[in-house]
Amino acid sequence: MTIEFSILEKERAVLIKIDGAVDAGQVEQMRQQSVKSVSETGITNFIVDMRGLDSLMDGRTTAIVDLASDFKDLGFTVWSNTAVLMPVNERAREQVDLLHAIEVNRGRGVLSYVETIDEAHSWFEEMARRV
């Protein structure tokens, strides 16, 4: 499993690339790094590239629900925009759908599923015009 962060300065976005199988500790670290990135850079647009994700919490539904329910406690800004490139693996895609549905219901910022990084940037521009 790998989770890599990079800052796209020109586009004013944080790119998070996730591959392999992910557990709760890794997701928690990613969330903490995301909050830290916002405080250090002021960037609130995130692109989460999960195309290479194989599984989330080994597919354990109760673990995914618990993980999603903990999202609000992190202090992540509701003013964030997160564009997600969904997993290719169908099982992982279903796990991520569940995670996001619960997070959004718990006050997560705006989330959109996109097909490409360019589509993510277009969506961020659209969201900026709505303000």
Side-chain angles (χ1 to χ4, degrees):
M1 184 296 309
T2 61
I3 298 177
E4 298 174 355
F5 276 76
S6 56
I7 304 294
L8 307 176
E9 292 289 343
K10 179 181 170 198
E11 295 86 359
R12 300 285 300 150
V14 176
L15 174 62
I16 305 169
K17 187 170 178 8
I18 304 170
D19 292 311
V22 177
D23 65 27
Q26 294 159 325
V27 171
E28 181 63 26
Q29 280 184 312
M30 179 188 66
R31 289 174 171 175
Q32 290 173 359
Q33 181 61 40
S34 297
V35 170
K36 183 178 176 184
S37 292
V38 171
S39 68
E40 290 177 350
T41 66
I43 296 172
T44 56
N45 289 333
F46 289 84
I47 301 169
V48 183
D49 183 349
M50 303 178 97
R51 293 176 287 192
L53 182 72
D54 293 325
S55 72
L56 178 64
M57 309 297 294
D58 291 324
R60 295 184 328 270
T61 302
T62 55
I64 293 169
V65 170
D66 290 344
L67 184 64
S69 297
D70 292 342
F71 184 84
K72 188 166 177 99
D73 297 336
L74 187 61
F76 197 76
T77 178
V78 297
W79 300 107
S80 68
N81 297 315
T82 304
V84 179
L85 289 99
M86 290 293 282
V88 173
N89 179 301
E90 188 60 36
R91 184 172 167 254
R93 179 181 288 264
E94 291 169 3
Q95 295 162 8
V96 171
D97 273 334
L98 174 61
L99 177 80
H100 288 156
I102 296 167
E103 286 179 352
V104 167
N105 286 330
R106 300 284 194 282
R108 186 185 216 301
V110 182
L111 181 90
S112 179
Y113 295 148
V114 297
E115 297 295 321
T116 65
I117 290 177
D118 286 340
E119 185 181 343
H121 295 305
S122 295
W123 180 67
F124 294 148
E125 290 171 6
E126 178 185 323
M127 294 304 291
R129 288 191 297 272
R130 294 179 68 194
V131 175

